[in-house]
Amino acid sequence: MGTSVQVTPLCGVYSENPLCYLLSIDGFNFLLDCGWNDFCDTNLLQPLSRVSSKIDAVLLSHPDILHIGALPYAIKHLGLFAPIYATEPVYRLGLLTMYDYYLSRRQVSDFDLFTLDDIDAAFQNVIRLTYSQNYHLSDKGEGIVIAPHVAGHLLGGTVWKITKDGEDVVYAVDFNHRKERHLNGTVLESFVRPAVLITDAYNALNNQLYKRQRDQEFLEAILKVLRANGNILLPVDTAGRVLELLLILEQYWSQQHLSFPIFFLTNVATSSIDYVKSFLEWMSDSIAKSFEHTRDNAFLLKHINIIINKSELENIPDIPKVVLASMPSLEVGFSHDIFVDWATEARHTILFTERGQFGTLARMLQVDPPPKAVKVTMSKRIPLIGDELKAYEEEQERIKKEAALKSNVNKELRASQGSDAKAGDTMVIDASSSHISSDVTASRVGGFRDIFIDGFVPPATSVAPMFPYFENSAEWDDYGEVINPDDYIIKDEDMNGASAQGFGGDIDNKLDEGSAHLLLDTTPSKVVSNELTVQVKCSLVYMDFEGRSDGRSIKSILAHVAPLKLVLVHGSAEATEHLKEHCSKHVCPHVYAPQIEETIDVTSSLCAYKVQLSERLMSNVLFKKLGEYEISWIDAEAGKTNDMLTLFPVSSTPPTHKSVLVGDLKLADFKQFLASKGIQEALYVAASM
Amino acid sequence: MASGVTSQASALKRKDSAPTREGDQLIITPLGAGNEVGRSCVYMSYRGKTVLFDCGIHPAYSGMAALPYFDEIDPSTIDILLVTHFHLDHAASLPYFLEKTTFKGRVFMTHATKAIYRLLLSDYVKVSKVSVEDMLYDEQDILRSMDKIEVIDFHQTVEVNGIRFWCYTAGHVLGAAMFMVDIAGVRVLYTGDYSREEDRHLRAAEIPQFSPDICIIESTYGVQLHQPRVIREKRFTDVIHSTISQGGRVLIPAFALGRAQELLLILDEYWSNHPELHNIPIYYASPLAKRCMAVYQTYINAMNERIRNQFANSNPFDFKHISPLKSIENFDDVGPSVVMASPGGLQSGLSRQLFDRWCTDKKNACVLPGYVVEGTLAKIIINEPKEVTLINGLTAPLNMQVYYISFSAHADFAQTSTFLKELMPPNIILVHGEANEMARLKQKLITQFADQNTKIISPKNCQSVEMYFSSEKMAKAIGRLAERTPEVGSTVNGLLVKKGFTYQIMASEDLHVFSQLSTANITQRISVPYTGAFGVIKHRLNRIYESVVSPQEEADVPTIIVHERVTIRHESESLVSLQWTSDPISDMVSDSVVALILNINREGPKVIMPAVENNNNNNKREEETERMAQKVTFALLVSLFGDVKVGEEGKLVVTVDGDVARLDGKNGDVECDNEALKDRVRTAFRRIQSAVRPIPLSAS
């Protein structure tokens, strides 16, 4: 029998809510994406919390909040502990996106759903794969192979192909078939006839302009505003679609020698660009090619100022400028603040490049006609002063005292257990500072080196400098002194040790200094908010730079892939219904669009068994070649060799069978064939037939 | 499974003698790097698929002599060419092979390898001082080759013509890969140059998840053991430190890329930790390496965690204490200094110029940091001769200290043996090693794997290794056909579909479900002019076919159906149409029906035409027939017996193996001493006669 496959949406069906689905293949549970919305609505995670402990593996497809947002929370609070699989860019950029998101949130609220440490902890479980890498799962998932493939849309974006026993389940959401400046188009079209395809209906009702035309309009719109002495704000994501926008601007600016400044402002802007520079392998062929030929990294941005602090923006004089700032929702982050500053002036423009999430400020502004005024909450984190500070300090003091009390109790307990342990502590031989002299050259070297006096400081109590003396309180047993073998082991990492210290941990360095203050900020602070109404006088423009395949292309791609069964998720109710109807007519009869927590069984009705082809049979088979296939009709008799079902040639004359004609007969080919045989042909269209 | 080493010629002979096994034969032939170091190139072929690993030159030779033995193979048959890393002895004959031979397959290498390959080869073309006719290729060829090279990322699986392959980190240099190739379930691992030791910037070679059937492994260091890296690094820095403190100069001849970056990392770090050395300059004389820095800065994901962590802070390849040196003219040789210069073998160039200048002073030192190739000056001075020949032909005393501290990231015996122990390949093929080292390694491995029935082979260049893999062809029956598993003895009929090396059996109706192919029906319709009565056709058909029926439901025109295959309709007074769905039997039936209708058209009496013809005409015709018959008889006899001559009295003389038979062409009498031959000739003649003469009408 075929492999059993079930799909259960946990979030994000019949709506544009974040993506999170449960796919179980023969009892092995995959969590497909683990997204959250911009408000961190814990209600959305209810379905996930019910199944999180049963999940065996998490597959991430894109590095944005909608696909990975809930990961830290789920791991911290919902008991999700499965290994996570993602491509290297999804891992890195996803991490930075989460940092940026957290820092933006933290700046304006007492955000406590997860912390930076939780983000780090969550991403520690990520197993990084490369595109087209066939990763064989082990233990419970024995026999399952997962492979990420190019999805387009975002850097590192993934279409997951999960294979078991030759049956493919493909999870493809937010793919883009078009080749862009920095990304290749998806390879989804190269998958043919998967058993199950899970895809989204997000863009089913959208159709796009041609890329060239769209780019041109985009640049013209920007220039028009700049020339009219206005500023442009592009609310962007942290390290996703913004990369494409940066490249478009960078290219145009250097072509046209424009001098208007461009700013890229997120909490992690510099690190994200640094990392992006090292992800050339994941980008489009043209970027790779140009690097191979000229060694010019496309993300060596000459015209774009990468900044991580809004004050840098405020310091420059008021000249027309382009600012790309996170978050795209305008709810929090630098984009929010800048919006409030600029919205009241008619000369400025807010240019949206993607549809805002439902219920966010960005979405509110994107409606037609745009609202005249919007209510926003301005929040600020300010240090505590006066009484508040005092109260805070007292509170801290109290906590400290309690902790101290606790540890005291512990200490006493420990002390009573054994006092002789202390005696050994004084006898610490610093093995790492004593150099290894296991080398021939060492003897010659010694002569011209200074005497090693590091760390030798005369004790304050002594009259004259003297060597420190430690009482030898070593233990002895029947065989002599009890030694610690570790003290005598030559430390391998001697040479490395010195340098490694300078670089510290991985995580801390990734953060920019600007945001580091937030991280390490221990000065007590609080958040003050005030509501205000902003008159929206600036112009609002929306242009689609989402980098997703549009409705028409989605339909043609689906028709080409022609899955045996199709599951639709993520997309507004209308879009889902529309695509479902279309696909059941034109793609395949089995189209499903399950509701949240509705488990649908997409186990293929396929029967299959394995047989061995005997050498005797194969020597009689004449294959006909057809494209990449070779086909032959066989009449065989089943038999057994070594417990394996084996096919042998039939002993009697096989029954006649209906002849099979494979392939499409095209009159044009036929005509060519006749011509090649030297036969004059005349083909006419017979309308009456 | 059998294996053995035979020469190419006898390999061909075997192929003829055992055609049935040909498909299962796997051939591996080193075209270079067989019992030598340099010009790596290994040819492999299995089941009509051909793979070439690496495409290098021999650094000790120049021109055509440096190439691998490409003459041994037909480049046009090669499906894929896999290049493991950018070193000249692994990649430098690639432009030649791509541009100057009939090769038309696909080439793959990793991203970093491709980026450095271009820079390195351009430099090689510029530096190599050979005459124009000796040039293997020029800058333009390199540029053109760039367009043909495709990139592959580590672990990425690619399939070309049914050959599946992917690569693992090899650790040797940036971008170095080990390739695993899977053809019809037989896996071959080609390690290229690899190192199992993590160093300052590279990861150690991975151990593949699956054990290969054949492992083609490098044996550069044979049975030698490396000192631990820490000790080597310490020796290296100590030698340099002591030399410069005594006022000497240190020359480090190193190949521009690869290990040089590692040494620079060591030196830069050592200088940072020793402020007293800050006034001693370190020069790095390689504009090429400077150009490649961008590549090193970009592909950090191919390096180890250590570098990646440092990268977060600052670029570790941005050296603080090392300055570039353009040429010897710009070199201000006043006091102690450390100079790293290429080439590594001291053949020519800046390293040789400095060597010639410094070799007579015993304060100076030369540190050879990598593997030294046979035939270069570096190999000679390792043995510390009293005198050396300078580049201008004079001899000079060799007084400078020569140290050999190997940093070349090749596996030593310990690494090789643990690597193989983990993998447990049933067949090991040694390449890329100097003959003696390789022989020692082979002996030692044989003892180590004595009880595992492992075959260890070290073929020479152009010596083929043949192996046989009895392939169990498995097929998967799917769809309607597989609804029930067949019992022993029952039959299975269906389409066998082969794609790459996978087989599927399915019902023809399911073809479009499980493949991109679809089945089709061709309906043919032909109109034949016919003026006679429709009943005549039916009557005639009834005499030939068993089933000739008129359809049940009333048709608009008279219709008959033959064997439920061909529908004949009387369209109008002058037209009959035939319609059938194409398949061999229906085609045949419809052909006969068309012939029949046409015959009726030509009027029935024509069948008895000969009877009404006049005698005169008849005689002439008979003569003609007779002449024709004789001619045909003669021709057929020649084709049967070979030597046939026309003897006296119109007799035909047949000679077979010395026996002579005389055949009377009129009545068929045969005179012959050999009874067997006589019989055969007589029978043959009788049969020919019955075939060539018209059937006498009187008989019927």
Side-chain angles (χ1 to χ4, degrees):
Chain A
M1 267 317 281
T3 313
S4 105
V5 183
Q6 278 103 28
V7 180
T8 316
L10 302 175
C11 182
V13 285
Y14 286 104
S15 71
E16 292 176 6
N17 277 338
L19 300 90
C20 191
Y21 314 101
L22 182 71
L23 166 72
S24 76
I25 296 181
D26 278 349
F28 190 88
N29 296 321
F30 286 101
L31 185 68
L32 304 175
D33 283 327
C34 190
W36 217 350
N37 66 0
D38 229 72
F39 304 104
C40 292
D41 183 358
T42 42
N43 288 329
L44 285 175
L45 302 182
Q46 287 293 330
L48 175 61
S49 66
R50 283 191 272 278
V51 295
S52 57
S53 57
K54 288 190 293 186
I55 283 161
D56 300 301
V58 184
L59 306 182
L60 302 179
S61 52
H62 291 283
D64 62 4
I65 301 291
L66 274 181
H67 294 88
I68 59 167
L71 209 52
Y73 184 80
I75 287 174
K76 177 109 188 265
H77 298 288
L78 305 181
L80 181 71
F81 53 83
I84 302 161
Y85 299 89
T87 58
E88 179 79 34
V90 168
Y91 163 76
R92 278 289 173 204
L93 303 179
L95 190 61
L96 291 171
T97 303
M98 290 310 294
Y99 283 158
D100 190 24
Y101 181 71
Y102 173 83
L103 294 171
S104 306
R105 276 268 158 212
R106 180 84 186 137
Q107 221 142 21
V108 295
S109 64
D110 290 319
F111 186 79
D112 57 356
L113 292 170
F114 55 87
T115 64
L116 284 174
D117 289 338
D118 297 336
I119 299 174
D120 289 339
F123 279 83
Q124 249 164 24
N125 293 340
V126 175
I127 295 164
R128 280 108 91 181
L129 308 178
T130 50
Y131 283 143
S132 323
Q133 174 178 358
N134 290 329
Y135 188 90
H136 297 253
L137 298 179
S138 50
D139 300 335
K140 195 182 168 195
E142 195 71 55
I144 299 179
V145 180
I146 55 171
H149 291 273
V150 183
H153 183 53
L154 299 183
L155 185 56
T158 306
V159 167
W160 286 98
K161 183 159 122 179
I162 304 151
T163 310
K164 177 152 192 195
D165 294 337
E167 257 178 69
D168 297 337
V169 177
V170 176
Y171 173 64
V173 288
D174 295 327
F175 53 84
N176 186 10
H177 67 290
R178 292 186 195 193
K179 193 172 148 43
E180 293 184 285
R181 276 182 176 73
H182 81 297
L183 290 177
N184 280 332
T186 182
V187 294
L188 180 62
E189 278 169 290
S190 66
F191 302 150
V192 180
R193 300 241 135 224
V196 180
L197 172 67
I198 304 169
T199 191
D200 63 334
Y202 187 73
N203 244 2
L205 295 171
N206 266 21
N207 285 319
Q208 286 165 348
L209 287 174
Y210 288 105
K211 182 173 159 246
R212 187 174 295 259
Q213 195 182 340
R214 189 195 55 179
D215 286 4
Q216 202 53 42
E217 277 180 24
F218 173 71
L219 292 164
E220 274 165 15
I222 290 178
L223 274 191
K224 214 175 101 193
V225 177
L226 291 174
R227 295 217 162 104
N229 209 24
N231 295 343
I232 289 218
L233 169 68
L234 292 100
V236 291
D237 50 9
T238 312
R241 296 302 307 161
V242 65
L243 301 177
E244 181 75 8
L245 298 175
L246 287 175
L247 276 194
I248 294 176
L249 292 173
E250 167 79 17
Q251 236 168 54
Y252 192 70
W253 252 241
S254 64
Q255 266 169 26
Q256 305 287 323
H257 306 290
L258 296 172
S259 59
F260 300 111
I262 308 175
F263 296 92
F264 174 41
L265 170 64
T266 73
N267 285 308
V268 291
T270 42
S271 348
S272 51
I273 294 298
D274 276 352
Y275 275 112
V276 166
K277 270 190 225 161
S278 71
F279 287 139
L280 291 196
E281 300 101 304
W282 302 83
M283 294 186 201
S284 70
D285 298 337
S286 54
I287 287 205
K289 195 156 275 175
S290 88
F291 181 73
E292 280 155 10
H293 282 279
T294 63
R295 295 180 310 288
D296 280 338
N297 198 317
F299 280 93
L300 212 65
L301 305 167
K302 293 186 190 76
H303 296 89
I304 292 162
N305 304 298
I306 298 158
I307 52 175
I308 49 168
N309 211 322
K310 196 171 159 244
S311 58
E312 287 176 60
L313 196 62
E314 282 153 359
N315 287 342
I316 62 151
D318 188 25
I319 50 167
K321 51 188 168 281
V322 182
V323 176
L324 299 97
S326 64
M327 301 267 145
S329 63
L330 288 184
E331 284 291 321
V332 288
F334 295 118
S335 63
H336 174 82
D337 301 352
I338 297 173
F339 166 74
V340 174
D341 292 350
W342 292 359
T344 48
E345 282 189 68
R347 64 190 168 110
H348 301 318
T349 297
I350 316 287
L351 202 161
F352 296 100
T353 53
E354 55 185 287
R355 273 171 288 168
Q357 277 179 40
F358 192 76
T360 60
L361 180 57
R363 184 63 161 249
M364 271 186 259
L365 293 168
Q366 282 169 23
V367 295
D368 196 39
K372 290 251 164 8
V374 285
K375 269 208 178 104
V376 293
T377 315
M378 277 308 283
S379 307
K380 225 177 175 180
R381 185 165 279 277
I382 51 162
L384 295 177
I385 37 161
D387 291 345
E388 276 178 314
L389 185 63
K390 214 176 260 170
Y392 175 84
E393 275 168 354
E394 274 167 16
E395 176 69 16
Q396 291 298 314
E397 198 64 19
R398 195 180 58 77
I399 293 169
K400 229 183 257 171
K401 261 186 198 152
E402 263 173 33
L405 208 69
K406 247 184 215 163
S407 66
N408 267 347
V409 174
N410 284 346
K411 237 183 227 164
E412 274 162 34
L413 269 173
R414 233 182 283 142
S416 62
Q417 276 167 0
S419 52
D420 55 332
K422 273 183 190 154
D425 285 351
T426 45
M427 169 73 188
V428 177
I429 297 166
D430 193 0
S432 62
S433 63
S434 61
H435 271 274
I436 325 141
S437 53
S438 56
D439 201 77
V440 276
T441 50
S443 53
R444 274 198 283 145
V445 176
F448 45 80
R449 274 200 184 157
D450 287 336
I451 300 168
F452 185 69
I453 61 157
D454 239 8
F456 177 64
V457 181
T461 51
S462 64
V463 184
M466 62 176 282
F467 285 104
Y469 173 71
F470 300 108
E471 197 166 349
N472 194 347
S473 59
E475 285 177 54
W476 289 73
D477 61 13
D478 293 348
Y479 300 98
E481 188 179 356
V482 177
I483 58 158
N484 179 6
D486 288 345
D487 296 341
Y488 298 90
I489 285 173
I490 297 168
K491 292 249 162 61
D492 282 341
E493 292 306 310
D494 187 41
M495 290 290 280
N496 290 335
S499 62
Q501 282 159 12
F503 302 106
D506 186 13
I507 301 304
D508 296 334
N509 292 312
K510 272 187 306 232
L511 280 174
D512 297 299
E513 294 134 41
S515 46
H517 80 267
L518 254 170
L519 225 187
L520 310 167
D521 197 2
T522 48
T523 49
S525 59
K526 64 164 182 175
V527 175
V528 287
S529 344
N530 57 318
E531 290 233 334
L532 59 132
T533 310
V534 176
Q535 303 293 325
V536 184
K537 296 213 178 88
C538 66
S539 43
L540 300 166
V541 185
Y542 166 68
M543 283 184 183
D544 183 354
F545 276 88
E546 283 176 358
R548 292 182 173 99
S549 292
D550 60 350
R552 206 178 324 117
S553 336
I554 287 177
K555 285 169 198 162
S556 74
I557 290 170
L558 290 184
H560 186 267
V561 173
L564 300 181
K565 292 190 176 177
L566 178 67
V567 180
L568 295 177
V569 293
H570 196 239
S572 62
E574 307 91 72
T576 311
E577 281 303 331
H578 170 81
L579 196 60
K580 184 177 175 185
E581 201 170 302
H582 173 90
C583 288
S584 42
K585 266 191 216 139
H586 298 101
V587 177
C588 66
H590 307 286
V591 183
Y592 305 89
Q595 299 286 351
I596 284 183
E597 293 203 277
E598 176 194 352
T599 301
I600 50 153
D601 191 10
V602 280
T603 305
S604 66
S605 45
L606 191 74
C607 314
Y609 60 84
K610 281 203 161 175
V611 285
Q612 195 172 331
L613 301 167
S614 68
E615 208 49 55
R616 273 198 296 143
L617 177 72
M618 291 309 285
S619 58
N620 289 329
V621 169
L622 277 178
F623 279 108
K624 285 265 178 245
K625 202 163 168 54
L626 267 163
E628 50 187 352
Y629 293 95
E630 288 175 70
I631 297 194
S632 163
W633 180 272
I634 53 161
D635 292 298
E637 202 171 273
K640 282 241 156 106
T641 43
N642 308 333
D643 274 354
M644 270 300 298
L645 197 61
T646 312
L647 295 182
F648 295 105
V650 281
S651 35
S652 55
T653 350
T656 52
H657 61 87
K658 205 169 159 282
S659 63
V660 184
L661 234 138
V662 180
D664 299 320
L665 184 81
K666 293 196 183 86
L667 278 181
D669 295 344
F670 183 54
K671 196 171 155 178
Q672 215 169 15
F673 176 76
L674 287 179
S676 75
K677 296 282 172 198
I679 299 170
Q680 281 285 323
E681 94 297 318
L683 292 172
Y684 300 104
V685 178
S688 61
M689 291 168 68
Chain B
M1 199 193 304
S3 69
V5 180
T6 47
S7 73
Q8 187 76 26
S10 74
L12 287 169
K13 241 183 240 161
R14 289 262 308 262
K15 221 186 255 178
D16 295 335
S17 63
T20 46
R21 297 180 73 192
E22 191 191 339
D24 297 336
Q25 184 187 42
L26 191 149
I27 299 175
I28 289 176
T29 316
L31 304 178
N35 280 282
E36 65 174 356
V37 174
R39 57 173 154 190
S40 280
C41 189
V42 179
Y43 168 92
M44 172 193 142
S45 148
Y46 181 57
R47 294 200 162 209
K49 310 287 176 194
T50 309
V51 181
L52 200 64
F53 296 106
D54 277 342
C55 207
I57 52 144
H58 200 298
Y61 308 127
S62 68
M64 289 294 216
L67 291 177
Y69 295 94
F70 290 139
D71 307 349
E72 292 291 323
I73 52 160
D74 177 4
S76 64
T77 60
I78 290 169
D79 294 291
I80 50 169
L81 199 166
L82 306 172
V83 177
T84 54
H85 63 281
F86 57 72
H87 274 155
L88 292 177
D89 61 333
H90 290 261
S93 61
L94 192 55
Y96 175 86
F97 197 68
L98 292 185
E99 301 300 324
K100 308 279 164 93
T101 69
T102 54
F103 174 74
K104 51 183 193 295
R106 294 167 70 182
V107 193
F108 289 89
M109 53 174 78
T110 60
H111 290 83
T113 304
K114 189 180 176 189
I116 296 177
Y117 156 86
R118 173 173 143 38
L119 294 165
L120 194 58
L121 289 206
S122 304
D123 190 67
Y124 168 70
V125 166
K126 266 183 235 135
V127 170
S128 59
K129 291 197 188 78
V130 285
S131 54
V132 178
E133 56 266 30
D134 256 8
M135 286 277 280
L136 294 171
Y137 46 83
D138 58 19
E139 178 76 19
Q140 284 310 310
D141 292 324
I142 299 172
L143 280 180
R144 275 196 295 275
S145 76
M146 283 296 281
D147 295 333
K148 296 184 186 164
I149 298 169
E150 294 168 70
V151 283
I152 178 171
D153 207 350
F154 293 102
H155 302 126
Q156 182 185 349
T157 309
V158 179
E159 186 167 341
V160 176
N161 293 345
I163 309 170
R164 290 202 307 136
F165 60 96
W166 58 94
C167 60
Y168 297 99
T169 312
H172 178 61
V173 287
L174 179 65
M178 306 190 280
F179 279 98
M180 181 80 96
V181 174
D182 180 329
I183 303 177
V186 174
R187 277 195 283 260
V188 179
L189 178 73
Y190 178 76
T191 63
D193 293 354
Y194 77 105
S195 163
R196 291 276 298 137
E197 186 177 51
E198 177 158 335
D199 62 19
R200 251 150 223 275
H201 69 296
L202 294 170
R203 268 182 281 202
E206 288 167 274
I207 300 223
Q209 203 179 350
F210 309 102
S211 173
D213 297 293
I214 302 167
C215 181
I216 307 172
I217 194 167
E218 66 137 325
S219 45
T220 321
Y221 277 89
V223 293
Q224 299 176 32
L225 290 174
H226 294 326
Q227 281 176 313
R229 181 165 69 91
V230 187
I231 295 178
R232 273 181 288 144
E233 284 184 8
K234 193 169 147 41
R235 264 183 70 196
F236 179 69
T237 49
D238 284 350
V239 162
I240 290 170
H241 200 142
S242 67
T243 308
I244 52 181
S245 359
Q246 288 160 9
R249 297 159 176 86
V250 183
L251 172 66
I252 308 170
F255 184 67
L257 284 164
R259 304 318 303 156
Q261 274 65 28
E262 173 78 5
L263 296 177
L264 291 176
L265 285 174
I266 297 174
L267 284 177
D268 198 48
E269 206 175 290
Y270 190 78
W271 252 242
S272 310
N273 295 340
H274 292 80
E276 71 272 20
L277 295 175
H278 284 185
N279 55 345
I280 312 272
I282 310 176
Y283 293 110
Y284 185 29
S286 173
L288 170 65
K290 217 175 141 211
R291 284 199 292 273
C292 287
M293 248 347 138
V295 181
Y296 270 84
Q297 285 159 13
T298 301
Y299 292 113
I300 56 153
N301 288 311
M303 298 184 206
N304 60 16
E305 284 297 327
R306 201 180 107 96
I307 286 284
R308 286 202 246 180
N309 295 344
Q310 289 185 21
F311 181 82
N313 259 14
S314 70
N315 182 5
F317 288 100
D318 187 7
F319 302 116
K320 288 169 200 71
H321 304 282
I322 295 162
S323 34
L325 182 65
K326 261 208 177 129
S327 67
I328 197 153
E329 285 79 39
N330 306 20
F331 181 42
D332 193 13
D333 191 7
V334 283
S337 62
V338 181
V339 181
M340 189 181 289
S342 59
L346 292 172
Q347 300 98 320
S348 56
L350 190 68
S351 64
R352 182 58 176 271
Q353 289 169 325
L354 288 172
F355 177 80
D356 285 2
R357 190 189 281 191
W358 291 349
C359 71
T360 49
D361 190 343
K362 69 176 189 340
K363 276 196 294 190
N364 296 340
C366 176
V367 183
L368 298 168
Y371 185 81
V372 282
V373 181
E374 206 69 49
T376 58
L377 178 65
K379 183 79 183 181
I380 296 169
I381 63 166
I382 270 194
N383 300 323
E384 304 196 22
K386 289 258 173 343
E387 286 182 336
V388 285
T389 313
L390 302 184
I391 203 142
N392 54 19
L394 303 173
T395 48
L398 175 67
N399 291 332
M400 84 195 294
Q401 310 285 330
V402 177
Y403 299 94
Y404 176 56
I405 307 168
S406 173
F407 284 94
S408 72
H410 290 276
D412 64 353
F413 178 72
Q415 292 176 24
T416 306
S417 90
T418 45
F419 185 72
L420 290 173
K421 233 183 244 165
E422 294 260 354
L423 277 183
M424 271 300 162
N427 300 283
I428 299 168
I429 294 178
L430 302 176
V431 293
H432 198 279
E434 193 248 321
N436 291 333
E437 287 291 351
M438 202 185 260
R440 275 185 220 126
L441 177 64
K442 186 177 169 183
Q443 273 316 312
K444 211 156 172 184
L445 287 176
I446 286 174
T447 18
Q448 187 177 342
F449 292 103
D451 45 346
Q452 265 104 23
N453 194 24
T454 306
K455 295 199 177 59
I456 300 161
I457 305 153
S458 54
K460 294 199 176 65
N461 281 341
C462 304
Q463 206 172 27
S464 292
V465 180
E466 291 174 32
M467 298 176 191
Y468 293 93
F469 288 89
S470 63
S471 52
E472 309 250 296
K473 293 193 186 77
M474 295 300 297
K476 195 176 167 193
I478 46 172
R480 268 170 249 197
L481 194 74
E483 270 164 16
R484 93 201 142 73
T485 315
E487 301 292 314
V488 170
S490 62
T491 57
V492 175
N493 313 321
L495 284 178
L496 182 63
V497 179
K498 179 185 176 199
K499 187 186 180 193
F501 291 105
T502 56
Y503 295 90
Q504 288 183 318
I505 303 173
M506 57 185 84
S508 57
E509 295 83 15
D510 282 340
L511 186 67
H512 72 279
V513 180
F514 301 112
S515 73
Q516 279 160 291
L517 300 169
S518 54
T519 51
N521 287 319
I522 297 178
T523 306
Q524 297 197 47
R525 206 178 116 114
I526 189 167
S527 296
V528 185
Y530 177 71
T531 47
F534 195 59
V536 177
I537 297 177
K538 189 169 179 185
H539 177 69
R540 291 280 169 98
L541 285 174
N542 261 327
R543 301 171 111 194
I544 301 174
Y545 294 105
E546 281 174 14
S547 157
V548 179
V549 292
S550 296
Q552 303 293 334
E553 64 268 28
E554 212 43 53
D556 48 347
V557 291
T559 304
I560 39 179
I561 297 169
V562 181
H563 277 274
E564 293 175 356
R565 287 173 185 275
V566 182
T567 312
I568 306 159
R569 287 156 58 89
H570 195 213
E571 296 284 347
S572 72
E573 281 299 300
S574 58
L575 211 61
V576 174
S577 78
L578 277 79
Q579 186 166 328
W580 72 99
T581 303
S582 209
D583 78 51
I585 294 170
S586 304
D587 287 354
M588 201 173 71
V589 171
S590 63
D591 269 1
S592 79
V593 173
V594 171
L596 186 132
I597 296 172
L598 290 174
N599 257 337
I600 300 172
N601 265 347
R602 277 194 290 156
E603 291 307 317
K606 270 181 192 159
V607 183
I608 44 166
M609 277 290 266
V612 289
E613 274 173 31
N614 68 48
N615 271 345
N616 197 10
N617 206 356
N618 220 10
N619 284 344
K620 212 187 250 173
R621 207 190 163 90
E622 244 165 49
E623 267 169 41
E624 211 169 284
T625 320
E626 192 59 33
R627 247 201 342 272
M628 274 301 285
Q630 274 174 13
K631 222 169 153 187
V632 173
T633 310
F634 182 73
L636 285 170
L637 283 172
V638 168
S639 74
L640 270 173
F641 298 104
D643 189 4
V644 180
K645 288 190 193 74
V646 182
E648 68 276 18
E649 298 166 29
K651 281 193 175 170
L652 296 165
V653 184
V654 181
T655 318
V656 176
D657 289 343
D659 291 324
V660 181
R662 283 170 218 287
L663 169 72
D664 190 328
K666 293 265 163 19
N667 52 18
D669 285 345
V670 182
E671 299 164 21
C672 183
D673 300 337
N674 188 333
E675 275 303 314
L677 182 63
K678 194 174 167 181
D679 264 1
R680 285 194 58 195
V681 173
R682 191 185 290 145
T683 320
F685 183 74
R686 203 178 60 234
R687 286 188 182 152
I688 292 168
Q689 285 298 305
S690 64
V692 297
R693 307 255 170 201
I695 303 160
L697 285 168
S698 53
S700 64

